[in-house]
Amino acid sequence: MRKVILPPLVSGEDVPLVPKNATGRPWLSILIPVYNVLPWLEDCLSSVFSQIEGDEGIELILLDDRSTDGSAELAEALIASHGGRARLLHHAENRGLSAARNSMADAAAGDYVWFLDSDDALLPGAIGALREIVEGCRPDVVLCDYACSGGKVHATFEGPARQFRLGTEALVAGIFSRRRLHAWSRVWKREVLEGVRFPEGVYFEDMATIPWLLLRAESYYYAAQPWVFYRSRPGSILAQVRADCDYRRDDELAGAMAGFREELVRVLPGVSQETRRLVALFLAREYVKLGKRLLRVRRRQRVLHLLRGDLSRYRKKMEAASPLPFAEIAACHARKGELVRWAALCFFLALSRHMWRLVPGAAH
């Protein structure tokens, strides 16, 4: 397995490995963190229990991160009602999603690891389809799509489907083309995860981890099927980020991929201009989204004069992680006739340099 230099992360405490089951090492570990998800937990666990029944090669591990709404008690009851088919671990205090994933990964024994969020659910046939792929070709990572309310299906990869493929760069390009960096739409071979920790105590843990995992994978299989039902719920981190501006979250978003440009070139010294463009495009679009939130909040606060400093600081951070300057991405938008994207990016790049047009009374 290729060695990838990871950004400095905070490690979670170790959890002893579970003993191997009677048939040997499990082929799959499904890991589900639990924290105040009472309305959705039964749906999530039922979707998993219904698919793992009779397959002793699958282990299901849950970790309660000090829930206060009865989620832990419900998890215990559901596990008992399914014959103790899962293990429930506990954190003594609330430590966040990353710490829960790290602790469960330490406890997992499976050849493959699937991180599933407890407010989502597995769609019918997902595990059976995964088993066929793993038995057939054993890729470093298996990619799936996901569905949302209303039945809309979102693709997570741009590239050949239903084929075993070699090539790290093609994997990186295909993921960044779709801009889906979440952990739960892919299943990882254990070796890819060795030594990797999700960063604890920060937002955007997937964005700070998944790109480096992609650089470790040398083979992949894109199932091009929705295996996960994704539920966007009020109070989730993503919903909070979309709704308003929080400077800690924005700082962590801007710095989530710090060092990735250097690692991309180190692992793939001949990386193509197109792959560089796709990674840079992802970061540029995140910068525009961040800029829109900042503009809205600073205008509401009537402190637009502070916006330039915000935008300049975040641009510096995000361009440092980008394989191409954002101005080059803007020029690419213009060449392709993507005038709305070109205008939005140019607007915030300009604001990061001067603010006279937005500040009342500013000199021309």
Side-chain angles (χ1 to χ4, degrees):
M1 185 61 57
R2 179 187 292 116
K3 181 180 180 181
V4 172
I5 301 173
L6 297 166
L9 305 178
V10 180
S11 297
E13 61 190 40
D14 292 335
V15 178
L17 289 177
V18 296
K20 296 178 181 178
N21 62 34
T23 61
R25 190 183 189 93
W27 73 270
L28 175 65
S29 297
I30 301 175
L31 311 182
I32 304 178
V34 176
Y35 179 68
N36 288 356
V37 286
L38 192 64
W40 308 281
L41 184 58
E42 183 170 6
D43 184 44
C44 173
L45 294 187
S46 295
S47 75
V48 177
F49 283 130
S50 65
Q51 296 187 52
I52 67 175
E53 185 176 358
D55 190 337
E56 295 301 319
I58 299 175
E59 67 172 357
L60 175 58
I61 300 176
L62 287 70
L63 185 144
D64 174 59
D65 196 33
R66 201 67 176 176
S67 294
T68 59
D69 68 343
S71 292
E73 293 76 10
L74 176 60
E76 290 176 346
L78 291 170
I79 291 171
S81 69
H82 288 84
R85 189 64 179 82
R87 288 191 294 151
L88 178 61
L89 308 179
H90 299 270
H91 275 165
E93 57 186 24
N94 177 257
R95 292 171 51 195
L97 175 60
S98 289
R101 285 176 173 171
N102 291 337
S103 294
M104 290 187 294
D106 290 337
D111 293 331
Y112 283 81
V113 175
W114 194 348
F115 297 101
L116 181 66
D117 288 349
S118 49
D119 51 356
D120 298 336
L122 287 186
L123 293 172
I127 292 180
L130 173 63
R131 185 189 299 111
E132 289 184 8
I133 294 168
V134 168
E135 290 176 350
C137 56
R138 297 189 60 81
D140 288 343
V141 58
V142 181
L143 316 171
C144 71
D145 296 335
Y146 66 97
C148 295
S149 299
K152 184 176 181 180
V153 174
H154 296 267
T156 65
F157 183 77
E158 183 71 40
R162 302 178 186 88
Q163 302 174 27
F164 175 81
R165 306 286 294 191
L166 296 171
T168 302
E169 182 172 350
L171 175 63
V172 171
I175 293 291
F176 275 95
S177 180
R178 290 292 185 176
R179 302 176 60 246
R180 312 292 184 185
L181 294 184
H182 28 61
W184 41 262
S185 62
R186 46 215 53 141
V187 184
W188 304 94
K189 187 181 283 187
R190 163 176 292 279
E191 289 83 354
V192 178
L193 293 171
E194 286 182 356
V196 175
R197 314 294 292 184
F198 288 90
E200 297 187 22
V202 301
Y203 299 104
F204 305 103
E205 61 283 321
D206 288 353
M207 190 173 167
T209 308
I210 300 304
W212 281 266
L213 287 175
L214 298 175
L215 292 179
R216 286 179 158 222
E218 298 177 11
S219 62
Y220 63 93
Y221 189 107
Y222 173 41
Q225 296 175 322
W227 289 353
V228 177
F229 175 77
Y230 170 73
R231 182 182 285 106
S232 180
R233 59 184 176 91
S236 69
I237 291 174
L238 185 56
Q240 292 173 37
V241 168
R242 287 172 174 165
D244 209 339
C245 183
D246 176 285
Y247 294 107
R248 176 191 162 192
R249 283 197 298 260
D250 287 342
D251 284 342
E252 291 174 357
L253 168 62
M257 285 179 57
F260 184 71
R261 176 178 64 183
E262 293 78 7
E263 190 62 11
L264 176 69
V265 174
R266 189 191 73 82
V267 173
L268 301 171
V271 63
S272 69
Q273 188 74 0
E274 176 62 11
T275 298
R276 293 171 186 262
R277 184 190 71 82
L278 289 169
V279 176
L281 174 61
F282 171 83
L283 286 162
R285 291 182 67 178
E286 292 300 311
Y287 177 69
V288 168
K289 290 195 297 184
L290 192 157
K292 289 178 179 178
R293 290 197 302 274
L294 284 168
L295 177 59
R296 182 177 65 247
V297 172
R298 289 306 198 190
R299 178 178 290 161
R300 187 170 67 237
Q301 295 172 339
R302 299 184 179 181
V303 288
L304 279 172
H305 61 282
L306 299 178
L307 184 60
R308 178 186 177 277
D310 295 334
L311 292 171
S312 179
R313 181 173 68 256
Y314 292 143
R315 176 183 178 180
K316 183 177 180 180
K317 281 187 175 185
M318 299 177 86
E319 272 195 310
S322 173
L324 297 175
F326 286 170
E328 192 165 332
I329 297 302
C332 183
H333 285 323
R335 288 194 300 271
K336 292 186 172 185
E338 299 169 341
L339 298 184
V340 174
R341 290 180 180 176
W342 168 80
L345 181 53
C346 286
F347 176 73
F348 287 109
L349 294 181
L351 290 186
S352 72
R353 294 189 295 269
H354 55 78
M355 282 291 298
W356 63 267
R357 285 186 177 86
L358 288 181
V359 180
H364 286 247

